Amino acid sequence: MDSPTGAYVSGSGKAGLVLAGGGARAAYQVGVLKAIREMLPDPRKNPFPIICGTSAGAVNAGALAVNCDDFGHAVDRLLDVWHGFEPRHVYRADFPGVFANSARWFAGFLFGAILKNRRISLLDNRPLESLLSRYLDFSRIDRNIAAGALDAVSITCSGYTSGQSCSFFQAADHFEGWKRSQRIGIKTKINVAHLMASSASPFLFPAYHLNREFFGDGSMRQIAPVSPALHLGADRVVVVGTARIRSDTPERTRGDLYPTLAQVAGHVMTSIFLDSLAVDLERLERINKTVSCVPPDALRKMGLTLHHVDVLVLTPSEPLDAIAVKHVANLPWAIRFLLRSVGAMRRGGANLASYLLFEHGYCNELIQLGYHDTLKRREEVESFIAGGLSIVPGAFSRTVKFLSPVAEQAAAAKGIDG
């Protein structure tokens, strides 16, 4: 029997995987990975030699990198954890823990000038740190790189002092760091602290100290989410988001009620996790169009290293906040009380709850949604990963292909299906 170690060899270059942030919404990514595993000729071979993660996506990315010598097994490990997730596995959900942490959080607002250098956050996420430390052996990353199962793994965090978006990456010796405006790549050994820092949502979870400063959620100030994969050598990228990315202009709706704190917080969270990804994808598409219009010789004479990059974007076909409404009552009563106080238990505040709902019913429904969304585009995904031309007519008419069944159905109804 052949050894499972090694990366999947495609017909064209290397594929990168970018896992975006979104708290509990990252369960959707596990469903997507489950479907991709079923599409591979050999599910043991890793189809993504370059793995990049941000926020909750960093946790999934780290788990894949540790176990990518057998991709199928890595996905099984993720499924085992996400299928059984409960809030207490991620943050303290008992009344003493919630009350103590909330008291420290409010005290920080009132006496911030006095309570210096204290770990202050609304929730205590040390249970997640303990879970990751038990399940992930980060020494395996070096072994996977040496065996050829992985080229690089990148975890992006946001520095509170420098204001920079820092992509910490572990890779083979020939890879070097990079420096751009407000974003840098730092070569290091990935460990649990990088995953915790990247997933430390502002206000909700505490910052983590790495190198010379404290870091928080990697989605903050991340102006180019796809960039780390490109710096690490990917020539085509699969992006798995946790919210629908709309290429059309949504209809304006009337809202006469003053927004609750939960609505405002949910709006901020969506801005952090989604907006920069959508803008980066639009920028990449414009660059691809520009490159296609300029002869390669002219690019070389101008000293430009631009090249064409195909991107496949997989996002939920349904609004995840609507799914969260059905499960929010299953949260522990102490968390429900906390969320109710800011209006997150009502439909208008469900967006905030959808990021914190590490509850097995909600996570399992998102896994199933990601699985079925991806299977609906099986031919496109298989062709994209293999690096060949899609057998689906017009599948790559856009460089950046948005895998949203709802969007495609709407386009078909208008007679403009691509």
Side-chain angles (χ1 to χ4, degrees):
M1 180 179 294
D2 294 336
S3 170
T5 300
Y8 178 74
V9 179
S10 71
S12 174
K14 295 180 179 179
L17 176 67
V18 174
L19 300 175
R25 292 171 171 235
Y28 179 85
Q29 299 171 346
V30 181
V32 171
L33 293 170
K34 178 185 176 182
I36 290 176
R37 179 189 62 182
E38 293 184 6
M39 300 176 189
L40 299 175
D42 182 354
R44 299 172 302 172
K45 301 289 186 179
N46 175 26
F48 305 109
I50 297 150
I51 301 173
C52 303
T54 301
S55 192
V59 176
N60 289 336
L64 283 178
V66 166
N67 298 296
C68 69
D69 55 328
D70 186 337
F71 183 76
H73 174 67
V75 174
D76 280 335
R77 296 270 291 178
L78 280 171
L79 286 167
D80 288 343
V81 172
W82 280 94
H83 275 315
F85 247 150
E86 296 181 20
R88 62 185 177 86
H89 295 147
V90 180
Y91 48 80
R92 286 196 63 178
D94 58 297
F95 176 74
V98 172
F99 177 79
N101 230 58
S102 299
R104 284 194 293 269
W105 192 72
F106 285 112
F109 272 106
L110 297 175
F111 309 108
I114 302 174
L115 301 174
K116 295 182 178 180
N117 210 25
R118 298 288 185 92
R119 177 186 170 109
I120 298 175
S121 63
L122 189 59
L123 297 171
D124 181 354
N125 62 346
R126 280 177 289 190
L128 177 61
E129 184 174 8
S130 177
L131 177 72
L132 295 177
S133 298
R134 292 197 311 271
Y135 271 79
L136 300 180
D137 177 7
F138 291 93
S139 66
R140 290 174 55 87
I141 295 179
D142 263 340
R143 296 203 293 270
N144 290 335
I145 292 173
L150 181 71
D151 279 6
V153 56
S154 168
I155 304 297
T156 298
C157 310
S158 180
Y160 280 116
T161 302
S162 66
Q164 291 179 318
S165 177
C166 300
S167 295
F168 296 95
F169 69 94
Q170 188 168 343
D173 292 340
H174 65 275
F175 285 91
E176 297 181 354
W178 61 88
K179 187 174 183 179
R180 300 292 186 271
S181 176
Q182 291 302 308
R183 52 191 173 92
I184 60 174
I186 302 172
K187 193 171 186 179
T188 187
K189 299 287 187 182
I190 299 298
N191 58 47
V192 68
H194 295 96
L195 273 57
M196 294 303 298
S198 183
S199 58
S201 300
F203 302 112
L204 296 177
F205 299 130
Y208 276 74
H209 195 271
L210 298 169
N211 294 356
R212 65 185 69 179
E213 63 178 314
F214 281 91
F215 287 87
D217 197 297
S219 296
M220 297 186 295
R221 308 200 72 174
Q222 189 183 31
I223 59 176
V226 182
S227 174
L230 304 183
H231 280 291
L232 294 171
D235 59 7
R236 64 188 189 285
V237 181
V238 175
V239 178
V240 187
T242 57
R244 290 171 59 189
I245 299 177
R246 304 185 61 165
S247 55
D248 59 331
T249 303
E251 294 184 4
R252 302 276 297 172
T253 56
R254 186 179 184 86
D256 295 323
L257 295 178
Y258 194 83
T260 64
L261 286 176
Q263 282 180 282
V264 174
H267 185 73
V268 171
M269 297 285 273
T270 300
S271 298
I272 292 174
F273 293 127
L274 178 62
D275 290 355
S276 60
L277 177 59
V279 171
D280 195 28
L281 292 171
E282 288 184 358
R283 182 190 305 115
L284 184 58
E285 186 171 10
R286 288 196 300 271
I287 291 174
N288 280 340
K289 289 181 178 179
T290 300
V291 169
S292 67
C293 297
V294 181
D297 291 340
L299 288 174
R300 284 193 292 270
K301 288 179 180 179
M302 291 185 288
L304 298 177
T305 58
L306 299 176
H307 62 92
H308 184 93
V309 178
D310 280 325
V311 180
L312 196 62
V313 185
L314 295 92
T315 59
S317 59
E318 301 177 22
L320 301 191
D321 52 344
I323 298 176
V325 171
K326 298 185 295 182
H327 298 277
V328 71
N330 296 327
L331 284 168
W333 74 269
I335 300 298
R336 293 202 309 272
F337 175 80
L338 189 64
L339 293 177
R340 185 175 288 111
S341 66
V342 295
M345 295 294 289
R346 298 196 293 270
R347 180 173 293 274
N351 198 23
L352 174 62
S354 71
Y355 293 102
L356 296 173
L357 199 51
F358 292 93
E359 185 269 334
H360 66 272
Y362 174 69
C363 292
N364 287 336
E365 189 164 349
L366 264 56
I367 290 172
Q368 286 299 106
L369 179 63
Y371 176 75
H372 290 299
D373 279 355
T374 307
L375 286 184
K376 288 177 182 177
R377 304 302 177 115
R378 184 183 187 111
E379 292 173 311
E380 295 176 51
V381 177
E382 285 179 334
S383 179
F384 193 92
I385 292 175
L389 294 176
S390 174
I391 61 176
V392 180
F396 295 148
S397 58
R398 288 171 57 91
T399 301
V400 179
K401 181 66 178 176
F402 294 91
L403 287 184
S404 175
V406 171
E408 180 164 302
Q409 291 166 8
K414 296 179 182 179
I416 57 170
D417 182 16

